[in-house]
Amino acid sequence: MNMIVVLAALSGALAVGAGAFGAHGASGDAAKWLGTGAHYQLVHVVAALVAARMEARGPAWLFVIGAAIFAGTLYLMALGLPRWLGAITPIGGALLIAGWLWLAWSAARAGV
């Protein structure tokens, strides 16, 4: 679980930096992409930490990896990389949804 916590903490730091850059150093689509990525990434940092606390490793990993793919592709486009990366973004979103469903199933099964 320590690796999940470490990665979630680093993810949170990256999200705050990306959000700040989006708010103060970017404009147009880049600012929107940075803001959206930071929002989703921060929400899923908290979700990963809660899942880790519940000892639900699978959902925690899906939150960390899904947020990295979802937000990461948006951040890369904001930095000027090709827009076709936007076609990868939904893969991260699908992993996030899978993480929530797996967490719900785990909680229901455990009677939490």
Side-chain angles (χ1 to χ4, degrees):
M1 285 299 165
N2 285 342
M3 184 56 70
I4 292 170
V5 174
V6 168
L7 292 175
L10 293 172
S11 182
L14 177 61
V16 171
F21 181 58
H24 302 289
S27 60
D29 285 341
K32 289 184 226 173
W33 293 330
L34 290 164
T36 299
H39 175 82
Y40 275 78
Q41 192 171 15
L42 283 172
V43 166
H44 289 90
V45 162
V46 175
L49 293 172
V50 169
R53 179 77 172 133
M54 292 175 60
E55 297 186 15
R57 290 177 186 226
W61 278 111
L62 287 178
F63 292 143
V64 169
I65 294 167
I69 293 169
F70 183 89
T73 54
L74 293 175
Y75 298 160
L76 291 173
M77 289 190 313
L79 293 173
L81 273 72
R83 286 187 176 218
W84 62 259
L85 286 167
I88 298 170
T89 307
I91 295 169
L95 293 174
L96 297 174
I97 292 167
W100 285 111
L101 293 172
W102 191 349
L103 185 62
W105 179 77
S106 296
R109 189 168 173 220
V112 176

